[in-house]
Amino acid sequence: MRTLLSSRSLISRLLLGAALCAVSISSLAAPNVVRIGVATAGGGDPITWGGSPGGVARANNWLEEAFQGTGTEVQWLFFKGAGPAVNEALSNKQIDFAYQGDLPSVVGRSNGLKTRILLGSGVRNNLYVSTPKDSALQSLDDLKDRKVSIFRGTNGHLVAINVLASRQLTERDIKGVNLDTGSAQAALVSNGVDAAFGGYEYFKLRDQGLARIIYSTKGQDPSFTRQASLLVREDFEKENPEAVQRVVDVFVRAAQWASDEQNRDALFKIWARSGTPYASWQAEFDGEVLAVRNSPLLDEFLASRYQAVADDALKLKLIRRPVSVEGWFEPRYLNTALQKANLSTRWTAFNAQGQPASGERQASAAVAR
């Protein structure tokens, strides 16, 4: 009798062990699909985007190569509605990763989206004010009581507010119109607005003689720049850490390539596939170091900018609940990627003021926040 019970007990334990093993193997299995949402309509065939090392990975199919043989399909989804549309997709679990700007990421977190910021991807982006070609407007001071386009909810929105504040103006002092990037350009050309805040897309209109640029944040306080990052849904990250590491590895590879000054010409040609001309990228990056703009580091500068955006958004009632970067940044995947690729000293970490943190190149300064 004891022998029978012992046998049954042994069998039960073996079956339980097999079941636990199966669960463990299942939890480590590669996901069927990895979906990356990009907060821009993009352009080209296949659709891609510029201004971020992610566009290099997209153009070269590096992410698809990284998942080859794993059974995982890679899908890129582009959103004309930019950051707000990406947040909706994250909320509905229609995407797993997102490339988007600081303000929409903050808004999403304030609204309860559980995400982890994995790395910077296109930082210190400039902001411009453009007017119709025959406009008499000459400076920010002339925007008072004028019809001005601002793409609300994007990472340019809050910078635009801060830029106006530098001239003792508020959003109420202008007649703000909420237009997406394409609509703003069309309105500018047709004199539908008096001016428009936006990015490098306005160089194309300027070069075509259709618009003028009367203001730029280039060379000014780094706090007037816009930041973007790659983030992941928290539940996807917990269930698929290996897949997250593969994605981060690829974005770091792209950041390394995009940071090499020898690749400047090739980089702008890749980004030009999105529909933004080569000359526009030349203008946007004129006088700027690629390794600064394409750094993936989660350094103090990036963390402080996200916190400042969150604080300003709350003050301006763009969000209802406060947001802290504590626990939001997840640097372990980035640090692993940097170590594996021998890139731990490739990029300079910057302090909260946007200056080199210690005068040394230290990519391992990714901060756990």
Side-chain angles (χ1 to χ4, degrees), residues 94-107:
Q94 296 171 326
I95 56 176
D96 309 305
F97 296 85
Y99 164 82
Q100 65 177 173
D102 44 31
L103 178 58
S105 297
V106 164
V107 171

Side-chain angles (χ1 to χ4, degrees), residues 181-193:
T181 302
S183 299
Q185 292 179 72
L188 203 64
V189 172
S190 64
N191 288 288
V193 293

Side-chain angles (χ1 to χ4, degrees), residues 83-221:
V86 166
N87 281 342
E88 184 176 350
L90 284 168
S91 178
N92 294 328
K93 296 188 176 182
Q94 296 171 326
I95 56 176
D96 309 305
F97 296 85
Y99 164 82
Q100 65 177 173
D102 44 31
L103 178 58
S105 297
V106 164
V107 171
R109 190 163 181 83
S110 176
N111 289 335
L113 284 182
K114 296 184 181 299
T115 59
R116 305 302 297 273
I117 294 178
L118 299 170
L119 51 82
S121 189
V123 299
R124 302 196 185 208
N125 292 289
N126 297 304
L127 190 73
Y128 305 92
V129 176
S130 188
T131 68
K133 62 177 182 178
D134 297 324
S135 172
L137 303 186
Q138 298 294 327
S139 69
L140 292 175
D141 297 325
D142 297 329
L143 298 183
K144 185 175 175 59
D145 297 324
R146 297 288 186 163
K147 192 174 183 180
V148 182
S149 168
I150 297 179
F151 196 172
R152 294 194 174 99
T154 67
N155 67 347
H157 183 190
L158 199 55
V159 175
I161 292 174
N162 290 334
V163 164
L164 288 171
S166 71
R167 303 304 302 168
Q168 290 74 53
L169 295 172
T170 70
E171 200 170 1
R172 293 183 178 180
D173 291 319
I174 63 173
K175 298 176 181 177
V177 183
N178 184 23
L179 296 176
D180 62 42
T181 302
S183 299
Q185 292 179 72
L188 203 64
V189 172
S190 64
N191 288 288
V193 293
D194 298 310
F197 282 94
Y200 45 74
E201 63 270 10
Y202 290 124
F203 285 118
K204 179 179 180 179
L205 296 184
R206 182 200 66 179
D207 294 344
Q208 292 175 337
L210 300 174
R212 295 167 48 243
I213 293 176
I214 64 170
Y215 174 83
S216 169
T217 61
K218 185 187 287 283
Q220 299 194 48
D221 189 330

Side-chain angles (χ1 to χ4, degrees), residues 7 72 75 80 196 213 274 282 298 318 328 350:
S7 298
T72 299
Q75 294 180 359
K80 180 182 178 182
I213 293 176
S274 67
Q282 280 186 311
L298 299 175
L318 299 178
W328 191 9
F350 291 90

